[in-house]
Amino acid sequence: MPRSTFYKHRIAFADCDPAQIVFFANYFKWFDTSGFEFFVACGVPPWRDTAQKGGIIGTPLVKATATFVNSATYGEDVVIESWVAEWRTKSFVMRHVARRGDTILAEGEDIRVFAIMDPAQPTRIKAVPIPPAIRALCE
Amino acid sequence: MPRSTFYKHRIAFADCDPAQIVFFANYFKWFDTSGFEFFVACGVPPWRDTAQKGGIIGTPLVKATATFVNSATYGEDVVIESWVAEWRTKSFVMRHVARRGDTILAEGEDIRVFAIMDPAQPTRIKAVPIPPAIRALCE
Amino acid sequence: MPRSTFYKHRIAFADCDPAQIVFFANYFKWFDTSGFEFFVACGVPPWRDTAQKGGIIGTPLVKATATFVNSATYGEDVVIESWVAEWRTKSFVMRHVARRGDTILAEGEDIRVFAIMDPAQPTRIKAVPIPPAIRALCE
Amino acid sequence: MPRSTFYKHRIAFADCDPAQIVFFANYFKWFDTSGFEFFVACGVPPWRDTAQKGGIIGTPLVKATATFVNSATYGEDVVIESWVAEWRTKSFVMRHVARRGDTILAEGEDIRVFAIMDPAQPTRIKAVPIPPAIRALCE
């Protein structure tokens, strides 16, 4: 079983929509935050530090999927578990499970790459192969 | 080819993240808005009107997928095309394509249901079969 | 000194803008969440429960002000302290201070009312006098 | 009367909260976008271009105030008018009015500075005097 980390969030009034439940896109945001905190917990420096040195600016998504199993609302606590399910050459797969207590609220799967600012087009980004040093920290 | 509608959004500074590009979860938000506008364009009343009468409160997602093809940044215009790709008994599939001019930025696929407030648990929601009157308006 | 409560938030990548710092409007969101959690901590039921009975649907803002003292970025923890600075007949004043450790990041002042759904216009809201039972719980 | 610009936004389902109305912090986001579009309309390059050259990275807020006059909900169009009400030595005052048709929804006042990345602390920002060339474009 790969290493996993947990990120907790108290659901805010503003996270919910007129149907009184969490607006679904917030799960994607929380999965992203949980994935970021996974790297930090593994000892990877925050992207702003690596970006300063012309390095990794983040792990942009190639594909994101989520299934929504149970609804949740404000004042409830959601805990996201995140881990790297698969390392490929140029991309990696993260999985996320959002739970309220024992109840699964949503499950996510991301395909992500590591990116740097594109030297050829400074306002665009560019994927690079998985940095071995980062992978080693996360396994 | 099913009916499709177009939703335009000028990308805001606040839509972008420290990597200078649109934070990916915003595409899910825009797909959702575009899907809502699809129903409005088809002549379906806004959910707040149907909800007032104990009816549909929205079309919550069972599953959402997006692939991210090209990045975009603030000051650029994104146009989302949305349509219902498939009507099932209790759910339906929406597809979305986000473009900047001719460049595809992202593509999405939602599996959604129609929902009402759950009479048995007033703070939860409940799926209902596809309302034929709504489907008829959208085909 | 009136009662105050504390709300903690780990700043997310997605909370930050292309200037690498928290997008200012997020402070308003966090102040709102902190204010909601203040009422919960005082023993006031969540608005969805009171709303179910035709009662309070929330505490919408008449005016919101914030001053931004120091910037913050993702991976940092912000703690918001919130309290009711003044109770008036039909409105009340909340104050919020956001800190990272001992550093003040932002300060906020809200003028808010208690609201119900407007019986005359079901999609609009209507202010009501401060409910004495709620005020009693919060002092 | 100073130059003003207009920014239009179709209110999204996700812009609204469980009270069925626009979550107030979104007005601050829209005022910010409208203010950004003001500079673009005046011929100022987008901040990502100036930031590339070590220049302005944006106009962070020192203080933001908004008053909320009427509520609005999804499917409605809001138009924000924005202008610079006052140029000071190191800061400037922007005003914003959000309207739905002729109905004023909210009014905002920002005190802002022009900022660059702080050379001494690369993850922090630093205010600079009002650039005369930018001011000249906007008057």
Side-chain angles (χ1 to χ4, degrees), chain C residues 59-128:
Chain C
T59 55
L61 285 141
V62 175
K63 186 176 181 179
T65 305
T67 52
F68 306 98
V69 183
N70 283 289
S71 62
T73 192
Y74 55 96
E76 299 180 336
D77 287 319
V78 57
V79 175
I80 317 281
E81 181 176 8
S82 296
W83 66 96
V84 176
E86 187 185 346
W87 293 97
R88 301 172 180 173
T89 310
K90 294 189 165 180
S91 64
F92 63 102
V93 179
M94 283 204 99
R95 293 235 171 86
H96 312 279
V97 180
R99 294 182 185 89
R100 178 187 59 222
D102 292 332
T103 302
I104 292 181
L105 302 175
E107 296 181 293
E109 184 179 279
D110 304 339
I111 302 175
R112 289 172 175 271
V113 294
F114 286 88
I116 60 172
M117 293 311 292
D118 187 341
Q121 300 182 83
T123 61
R124 303 290 180 201
I125 62 170
K126 185 188 165 180
V128 293

Side-chain angles (χ1 to χ4, degrees), chain D:
Chain D
M1 181 67 192
R3 182 172 186 173
S4 73
T5 57
F6 294 86
Y7 166 74
K8 179 181 164 182
H9 177 75
R10 166 69 52 97
I11 298 170
F13 187 74
D15 294 327
C16 298
D17 64 23
Q20 314 293 319
I21 59 171
V22 171
F23 181 65
F24 79 99
N26 286 319
Y27 284 104
F28 286 104
K29 184 191 165 189
W30 300 333
F31 290 163
D32 186 75
T33 305
S34 183
F36 172 79
E37 295 291 339
F38 171 85
F39 285 108
V40 170
C42 292
V44 180
W47 309 130
R48 67 175 168 279
D49 292 352
T50 51
Q52 284 299 321
K53 298 165 191 156
I56 301 302
I57 53 101
T59 56
L61 285 141
V62 174
K63 185 176 182 180
T65 305
T67 52
F68 306 97
V69 183
N70 284 288
S71 62
T73 192
Y74 55 98
E76 298 180 336
D77 287 319
V78 58
V79 176
I80 318 282
E81 181 176 9
S82 295
W83 66 95
V84 176
E86 187 184 345
W87 292 96
R88 300 172 180 172
T89 310
K90 294 190 166 180
S91 65
F92 63 103
V93 179
M94 283 205 98
R95 294 236 171 83
H96 312 279
V97 180
R99 296 183 183 87
R100 179 186 57 223
D102 292 332
T103 302
I104 292 181
L105 302 175
E107 297 180 293
E109 184 179 279
D110 304 339
I111 303 176
R112 290 173 175 269
V113 293
F114 285 89
I116 60 172
M117 294 311 292
D118 187 340
Q121 299 183 84
T123 61
R124 304 292 180 199
I125 62 170
K126 185 188 164 181
V128 293
I130 302 292
I134 292 181
R135 177 172 170 174
L137 284 169
C138 298
E139 283 184 310

Side-chain angles (χ1 to χ4, degrees), chain A residues 37-56:
Chain A
E37 295 291 339
F38 170 86
F39 285 108
V40 170
C42 291
V44 180
W47 309 129
R48 67 175 169 278
D49 292 353
T50 51
Q52 283 298 323
K53 299 164 190 156
I56 301 303

